[in-house]
Amino acid sequence: MLNVGVLGSGGKVGRAMVDAVEAADDLSLSAAVDAGDMLTGLLDSNTQVVIDFTHPDVVMDNLKFLIDNGIHAVIGTTGFTDDRLDTVREWLAEKPEVGVLIAPNFAIGAVLTMRFAAQAARFFDSVEIIELHHPSKADAPSGTATRTAELIAEAREEAGRGKMPDATSAEFDRARGARVDGVRVHSVRVAGLVAHQEVLLGTQGETLTIRHDSLDRSSFVPGVLLGVRGISSRPGLTVGIEPFMDL
Ligand SMILES: NC(=O)C1=CN([C@@H]2O[C@H](COP(=O)(O)OP(=O)(O)OC[C@H]3O[C@@H](n4cnc5c(N)ncnc54)[C@H](OP(=O)(O)O)[C@@H]3O)[C@@H](O)[C@H]2O)C=CC1
Ligand SMILES: O=C(O)C1=N[C@H](C(=O)O)C[C@H](O)C1
């Protein structure tokens, strides 16, 4: 039986993770921690793996505590810049036995969307991303869209594709969206939405749209549990759920 804690247990995703851990025969919910709760409860309950779906402003403090105390971590919270990832690697250098998995999206379809977009990107003159979320989301663009844009940019550079066509010369503030590694990303926040992303690719005479929809937050559960069950055998930092999916 694996003792699993949930940070952000009262949140939209955290609640789904609490339910999933409680329903799993091989997992035991050893701690449910939300804002204002002490992290030391994780030590008293002999928690072995922690799932974190909290907030970009607090996740680094949570991770430092987990690594310092030898607790494996499956991190869904977004906001991980390259600098933050380097900091996590430095912390892990002191604790080489600890496994940390950080993934911008645990939904299987979202992971495949990122791969399909990177595969397709080299064949198209233009690629832009539209990500659509609920209005309580703190960060924009989403971590998924940021990662998707990075993968697209890498694929285009590898294929030697030049700048995307864009005649914009007069633009209202941010009208053309954010630029992530040269890829335009547009963020929509509308009540009633959960988590959605479209990648639009275009070239002579045709466009290709790759779309993923998380219709509810249970979509993130299978990927998170894959990470929870496998993290102890993957010490160090893993970014993205792909290695756990043999992708
Ligand atoms: N990787 C992935 O697949 C996914 C990632 N996410 C990411 O997960 C994060 C959470 O999303 P979501 O569940 O919608 O957000 P919510 O705001 O619904 O949930 C966050 C929860 O964390 C709590 N919290 C805040 N600070 C702390 C802390 N220091 N310790 C413990 N709990 C704390 C909040 O409490 P309070 O409200 O009182 O502040 C809240 O209950 C976001 O960064 C989002 O981008 C979301 C879905 C999928
Ligand atoms: O905040 C959310 O809801 C989500 N955040 C993640 C992101 O920023 O990519 C994953 C998913 O889009 C849901």
Side-chain angles (χ1 to χ4, degrees), residues 111-123:
V111 171
L112 293 175
T113 298
M114 290 188 262
R115 291 182 72 82
F116 297 159
Q119 278 182 317
R122 62 195 178 102
F123 297 102

Side-chain angles (χ1 to χ4, degrees), residues 6-15 33-37 39 52-56 58-59 62 75-79 103-107 134 136-139 142-144 195 217 220 224:
V6 177
L7 297 187
S9 57
K12 294 185 289 297
V13 181
R15 290 194 298 269
V33 177
D34 211 53
D37 297 337
L39 291 178
D52 183 301
F53 283 89
T54 55
H55 191 287
V58 304
V59 68
N62 290 345
I75 307 292
T77 304
T78 44
N105 204 310
F106 283 93
H134 54 89
S136 69
K137 183 168 180 55
D139 50 342
S142 66
T144 305
R217 291 169 176 89
F220 308 119
V224 168

